Amino acid sequence: MTNKTALPNQNISGEKKGNISWIQCNFCEQWFHSTKELIEFKTIDLYCPNCHEEFKPEKSKKIIIA
Ligand SMILES: [Zn+2]
């Protein structure tokens, strides 16, 4: 089971595909930016700029990798 969604066909300019990700905070349900690298570092806490919670990527409500 995963909370990750990869968007298809986002490679408009032929570069930087998969570098920008959207995280949905599990606490306030707001979306914020992160990078794919940070998400895949499972030991690093993501920081929600909206409610100031910190949480591991797998605890986020939803992740979209664009
Ligand atoms: Zn939040």
Side-chain angles (χ1 to χ4, degrees), residues 7-22:
L7 291 183
N9 301 320
Q10 292 296 300
N11 198 3
I12 295 165
S13 63
E15 59 186 352
K16 292 197 170 184
K17 181 173 171 62
N19 282 343
I20 299 173
S21 301
W22 289 93

Side-chain angles (χ1 to χ4, degrees), residues 26-61:
N26 201 27
F27 298 91
C28 67
E29 301 194 343
Q30 292 297 303
W31 291 85
F32 62 94
H33 265 301
S34 188
T35 65
K36 196 182 175 195
E37 286 76 14
L38 270 184
I39 291 165
E40 290 178 349
F41 267 117
K42 295 191 192 310
T43 54
I44 291 180
D45 284 336
L46 298 169
Y47 171 73
C48 176
N50 189 60
C51 68
H52 309 289
E53 287 286 348
E54 291 183 4
F55 52 91
K56 296 279 188 292
E58 71 260 27
K59 298 290 186 196
S60 72
K61 188 158 187 170

